[in-house]
Amino acid sequence: MAEIETGMTREEHFSEEDWVDFARQQGSMEQHARLARHLDGGCERCRPTVEFWQAVRGLAGQEASYRPPEGSSARPGRSSRFGGPKGSSGG
Ligand SMILES: [Zn+2]
């Protein structure tokens, strides 16, 4: 006798934290797969939550893509001078 649990017999939804990790692509791949399968099932309850956090993640990613305009006169030239006017001792 072997009962294979296929599908979701009972209504089980994931918490918001789970979907946050899902949107941010964090956590284990196993958990990620479970969440993906849940969405694949067409859960109308969890879908808006995922879309929300994915949108939040997208907004946060825009900052990373932002780059300063080109044409910066001051270029990072390295000129480290050793020594200085400091240091006067009797001698
Ligand atoms: Zn759900």
Side-chain angles (χ1 to χ4, degrees):
M1 286 193 291
E3 278 190 0
I4 303 174
E5 292 184 10
T6 52
M8 286 184 166
T9 52
R10 59 183 176 182
E11 268 191 80
E12 189 173 341
H13 299 276
F14 294 92
S15 64
E16 192 164 349
E17 289 184 352
D18 291 328
W19 293 117
V20 173
D21 291 340
F22 180 81
R24 299 177 67 176
Q25 294 186 350
Q26 291 183 348
S28 62
M29 289 184 65
E30 206 172 290
Q31 179 72 355
H32 194 89
R34 287 182 63 185
L35 293 163
R37 284 177 66 87
H38 188 77
L39 274 183
D40 196 44
C43 183
E44 295 290 336
R45 185 171 167 180
C46 294
R47 182 169 290 275
T49 306
V50 181
E51 291 181 348
F52 172 78
W53 285 111
Q54 283 181 341
V56 171
R57 177 175 170 272
L59 290 173
Q62 286 183 4
E63 289 184 31
S65 64
Y66 173 78
R67 54 177 60 185
E70 294 182 34
S72 56
S73 58
R75 69 178 187 177
R78 55 172 189 155
S79 59
S80 60
R81 296 192 175 186
F82 184 75
K86 201 174 181 181
S88 60
S89 183

